Amino acid sequence: MAVAGAAVLAGCTVQAPDGSGKSRSPVHIELPGDTPSPARTPADGGGPGTTAPTAPGDDKPSAAAVPPRVLWSRGDTGRDVRELQARLRQVAWLFDGPTGTYDESTQRAVSGFQGKRGLPRTGKTDTVTWQRLLRMTREPGTWDLYLMGGQPADPPDPRCRTGRVLCIDKTSRTLRWMIDGRTVSTMAVRFGSRGTPTREGVFSVYWKSRDHVSTLYDSPMPYAMFFSGGQAVHYSPDFAARGYAGASHGCVNVRDEGAIAELYAQVRDGDKVVVSW
């Protein structure tokens, strides 16, 4: 019994008779110093719970998931940022702009959009956030992108290249103040609706009125420069507030009060006005 107990403690196997019929020792003891049998793996018949030895260094934790790539973040500018802002407006997360500048309000809007949909609230527009926003919105048009102005001006009409001219382009919705072919300043403008269109052609400034109020519509027309009947270039607080979501009654509206104040100070009676497509 003592031998059997030692055998169990040391680890043993019972050996069958050899080929000659002679009995072998009934007990074969594998001492601790012996070389262990090689581990079995699924490839050589090992069971599903058997694993191959781990190579040195394989106990390192697996790498964390790679975060999505950031497309735009605070401080970025450009047309893509305008589109982001226009789409955020469609889902009521942004109410100003588009401006084309990824500012604090844009960052807050992106963060809110992300949090509402269970995404990390980074305030940065990454690929996952952008794809989610694309699925929820439509492609913005030109005047969605430039709702509050900032659009580039088209080349000036040839009639604007000489003299002192208010060169007004309905296609790009811009006004250039030009002197002898040189552009002094450029600003966004809007025009009348279909029912009250802004007239096209070549005119001249015939009257300036700094604090004008319309007698027809009882609405303020600051910095008014009249060029055709009751139509004038003037500042519009409605344009400043709503952008191209509104229209004038035929006048050429300017939304930048500082810019038109400077323009008003430079324009003289008799200066040419060109309104064209």
Side-chain angles (χ1 to χ4, degrees), residues 157-160 164-166 199-205 227-228 271-276:
D157 186 282
R159 296 170 291 182
C160 299
R164 299 164 57 87
V165 190
L166 291 172
R199 290 183 280 274
E200 299 157 25
V202 179
F203 313 94
S204 62
V205 175
F227 62 87
S228 177
D271 285 346
K272 186 162 59 174
V273 179
V274 176
V275 182
S276 64

Side-chain angles (χ1 to χ4, degrees), residues 57-108:
D58 282 0
D59 58 348
K60 295 180 180 178
S62 59
V66 178
R69 182 169 60 93
V70 173
L71 301 174
W72 313 288
S73 58
R74 189 165 177 177
D76 288 340
T77 60
R79 194 269 182 199
D80 289 339
V81 175
R82 281 188 180 275
E83 181 173 347
L84 167 67
Q85 293 169 329
R87 289 181 183 272
L88 286 169
R89 284 180 60 91
Q90 290 179 33
V91 291
W93 277 105
L94 190 65
F95 299 96
D96 297 330
T99 64
T101 298
Y102 205 118
D103 53 13
E104 182 180 357
S105 61
T106 304
Q107 181 175 292
R108 285 198 306 268

